[in-house]
């Protein structure tokens, strides 16, 4: 078999089984004597549970709730904090909060029984929006002020001084909405007992997160629970902590019933009762001199977290660290607040908090440019970060920044400079442009101090098995990682095995999140491969490595100062639109992008990520509207929460620049989220130009454009 080169164009390894319908998703698993579960949830956003009246359960049916947790266990899911309860007990804090699990052999019977459970509540006034929560509507949900978490960063001079010296101040508030993940496979898990151990099969990004989160329910330790990842049909951050919410109740049910139990959400449940992207409210106040030069930016960032912390603090940190975008702003102060509301808890979603602040800074910079009569691209490019620039966290940009080259490529491909000048504002045609980045892997010393990733290669004859906890969720990691191993070892990709992780068999290589898999886990596998290659003739053996942080890049997690990221992915996107002035319908007629991802391990996969990420970002800015009214999501299906299809946007033109990353395998950096981070702002820029409006929020479906036109 010929050796596989790192740049070879190959068919991705998971393609055939998925295309043929052979891949085994959680719903495809059956076990003898298997039961089904149906979740009983809160139907009010806030209040106390006064009584639960159960119908008579037929034989073989069970209702599992907080009272079934054994005395040695605790009713909490250990995500980052332990505040999210496995079962609501006494009170409820959002619509959809788990109260119990109905379990039995017939799914129709479960549905029928669920309709006959009567739960009586005393309702309280909920806080739904960020403004409600700030105003402490209905009284505080968390602490005395609803602040779940907060942080600030500062760079340069004190802001009072900066504003004193300013000739003018430009202030605006920009808001972003909920976004639903709409992974094509809904959430699903099965709990059982195998070889005397509690075992959970789950559609999940982070198998080790689940075992950590749920073990304490039974007073057990993480190692006592085995998690097996099933083929995962998309995740996008929605299967990072959220599977804990299914697996926790399932584990308690398993403890009581001791038969295989399967829980699958249908699409409506998955849309109404799962985590979403954090809505945000971001106020940027910029000090300017008389020529429109930026003296400093003061930012206040609110993320709506729902009533439980889940990933909010980490998501918010990334949001704050990206609040100055790709710009070297001389003086800045940005405060971030995660605020508690009575909506479904918000959590990770592709971009992990960066898209909200990046949309705000991009749109703000574009508004300043237009106010002073500059072309947005030209104005923004004056502030591009460079190698050695000081970052918002007082660290430095370690790598070469190729934004000028990327702008050049995108501007040439899209004919930006001509179109930007020639298309007259408000005449129905517009081109917009944006710049963005994404810090690679976990922030600061997260990789070094918290995750401490491990990876292992096992050689048997001429075959090599990769043992890591990282998962395939559509992003192509099964292929990318095998390619890295094969190319390092100088063997064929056909000789590499890499199964969906089983936590009892593989080392913990950290969560499949933060676009870290290639740059961190890929590099670990490369290091294992380098040693294995040298010792190849020693027979059968294995090599395991632990993450090592490069020297000289300190980070202080208390003060949030230092090198937040060792490397970034960088992006530039242009979007051209035509607006129908009668219907306000916006037609995208061109999409161009250029990305710096270090080196592309697999160009076909990268192409897929670019296409998908950009379309998802355009959906976020345009049609994906998820409203929460009084605690209830209004959009309940894919016909009223509309995501883009291949018919909605034209074929994209894309390119890469080569900028090998010192600490990545074959020079690669992360890119799975980067490609989401900027097309939204380019689209809104284009829409503003086409219609002559100023936009302060996304999404902007046609009905909201109508409103903005009226306001103008
Ligand atoms: N691409 C597909 N097809 N499906 C997904 O669920 N998740 C995204 C991105 N690309 C996702 C995807 C998110 S949120 C992340 S963090 C990265 O992939 C994670 O994968 P990586 O670490 O291999 O980049
Ligand atoms: Mo991605 S939001 O870090 O799973």
């Amino acid at each position: 078999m010929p050796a596989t080169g790192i740049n070879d164009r190959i068919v991705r390894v998971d393609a055939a089984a998925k295309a043929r319908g052979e891949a085994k998703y959680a719903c495809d698993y059956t076990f003898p004597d298997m039961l089904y579960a149906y979740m009983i949830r809160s139907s009010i956003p806030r209040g106390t549970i006064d009584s639960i009246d159960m119908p008579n359960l037929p034989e073989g049916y069970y209702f599992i709730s907080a009272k079934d947790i054994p005395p040695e266990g605790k009713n909490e899911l250990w995500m980052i904090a332990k505040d999210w309860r496995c079962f609501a007990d006494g009170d409820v804090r959002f619509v959809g909060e788990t109260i119990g699990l109905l379990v039995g052999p017939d799914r129709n019977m479960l549905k029928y029984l669920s309709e006959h459970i009567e739960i009586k509540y005393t309702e309280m006034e909920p806080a739904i929006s960020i403004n409600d929560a700030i105003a402490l509507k209905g009284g505080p949900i968390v602490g005395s002020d609803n602040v779940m978490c907060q942080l600030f960063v500062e760079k340069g001079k004190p802001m009072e001084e900066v504003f004193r010296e300013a000739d003018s101040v430009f202030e605006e508030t920009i808001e972003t909405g909920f976004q639903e993940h709409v992974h094509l496979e809904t959430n699903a898990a099965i709990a059982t007992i195998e070889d005397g151990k509690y075992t959970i099969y789950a559609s999940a990004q982070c198998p080790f997160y689940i075992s950590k989160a749920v073990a304490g329910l039974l007073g057990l330790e993480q190692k006592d629970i085995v998690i097996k990842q099933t083929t995962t049909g998309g995740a996008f951050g929605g299967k990072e902590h959220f599977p804990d919410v299914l697996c926790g109740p399932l584990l308690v049910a398993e403890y009581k019933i001791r038969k295989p139990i399967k829980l699958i959400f249908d699409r409506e449940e998955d849309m109404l009762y799962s985590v979403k992207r954090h809505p945000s409210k971001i106020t940027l106040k910029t000090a300017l001199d008389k020529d429109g030069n930026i003296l400093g930016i003061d930012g206040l960032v609110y993320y709506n977290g729902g009533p439980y912390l889940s990933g909010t603090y980490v998501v918010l940190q990334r949001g704050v660290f990206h609040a100055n975008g790709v710009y070297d702003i001389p003086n800045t102060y940005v405060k971030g607040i995660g605020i508690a509301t009575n909506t479904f808890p918000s959590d990770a979603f592709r971009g992990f908090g960066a898209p909200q602040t990046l949309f705000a800074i991009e749109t703000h910079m574009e508004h300043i440019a237009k106010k002073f009569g500059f072309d947005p691209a030209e104005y923004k490019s004056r502030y591009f970060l460079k190698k050695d620039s000081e970052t918002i966290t007082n660290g430095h940009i370690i790598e070469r920044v190729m934004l000028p080259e990327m702008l050049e490529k995108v501007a040439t491909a899209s004919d930006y400079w001509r179109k930007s000048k020639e298309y007259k504002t408000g005449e129905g045609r517009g081109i917009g442009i944006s710049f963005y980045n994404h810090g690679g892997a976990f922030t600061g010393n997260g990789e070094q101090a918290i995750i401490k990733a491990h990876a292992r290669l096992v050689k048997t004859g001429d075959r090599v098995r990769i043992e890591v906890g990282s998962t395939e969720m559509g992003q192509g990691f099964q292929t990318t990682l095998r390619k890295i191993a094969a190319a390092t070892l100088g063997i064929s990709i056909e000789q590499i095995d890499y199964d969906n992780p089983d936590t009892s068999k593989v080392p913990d290589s950290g969560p499949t999140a933060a676009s870290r898999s290639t740059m961190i886990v890929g590099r670990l596998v490369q290091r294992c491969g380098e040693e294995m290659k040298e010792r190849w003739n020693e027979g059968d053996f294995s090599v395991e490595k632990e993450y090592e942080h490069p020297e000289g890049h300190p980070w202080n997690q208390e003060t949030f100062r230092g090198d937040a990221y060792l490397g970034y992915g960088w992006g530039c996107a242009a979007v051209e639109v035509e607006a129908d002035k009668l219907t306000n319908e916006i037609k995208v007629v061109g999409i161009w992008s250029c990305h710096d991802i270090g080196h592309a391990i697999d160009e076909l996969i990268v192409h897929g990520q670019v296409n998908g990420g950009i379309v998802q970002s355009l959906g976020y800015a345009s049609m994906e509207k998820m409203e929460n009214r009084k605690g209830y999501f209004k959009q309940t299906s894919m016909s009223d929460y509309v995501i883009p299809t291949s018919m909605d946007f034209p074929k994209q033109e894309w390119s890469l620049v080569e900028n090998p990353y010192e600490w990545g395998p074959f020079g690669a950096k992360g890119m799975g989220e980067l490609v989401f981070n900027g097309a939204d702002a380019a689209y809104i820029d284009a829409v503003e130009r086409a219609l002559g409006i100023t936009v302060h929020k996304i999404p902007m479906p046609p009905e909201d454009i109508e409103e903005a036109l009226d306001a103008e």
Side-chain angles (χ1 to χ4, degrees), residues 45 51 81 197 227 255 310 314 326 388 465 530 626 672 689 702:
S51 62
K197 275 197 157 184
I227 310 295
Y255 161 78
S310 55
V314 194
V326 298
D388 299 326
R465 192 171 65 249
E530 282 161 0
M626 175 69 77
R689 298 195 209 191

Side-chain angles (χ1 to χ4, degrees), residues 375-376 415-423 431 689:
D375 183 280
D415 201 6
Y416 173 82
W417 298 115
R418 180 187 67 80
K419 290 175 180 171
S420 181
K421 209 177 325 159
E422 284 179 14
Y423 296 170
I431 189 162
R689 298 195 209 191

Side-chain angles (χ1 to χ4, degrees), residues 205 236-237 240 348-352 512-514 673:
Q205 291 177 237
F236 303 112
E240 201 173 314
F349 196 142
R350 198 174 199 169
F352 212 88
T512 308
E673 294 169 280

Side-chain angles (χ1 to χ4, degrees), residues 234-237 350 473-475 477 512-517 609 672-673:
F236 303 112
R350 198 174 199 169
M473 51 196 188
Q475 89 282 33
F477 199 56
T512 308
S515 308
R516 62 185 285 283
S517 308
Q609 289 288 297
E673 294 169 280

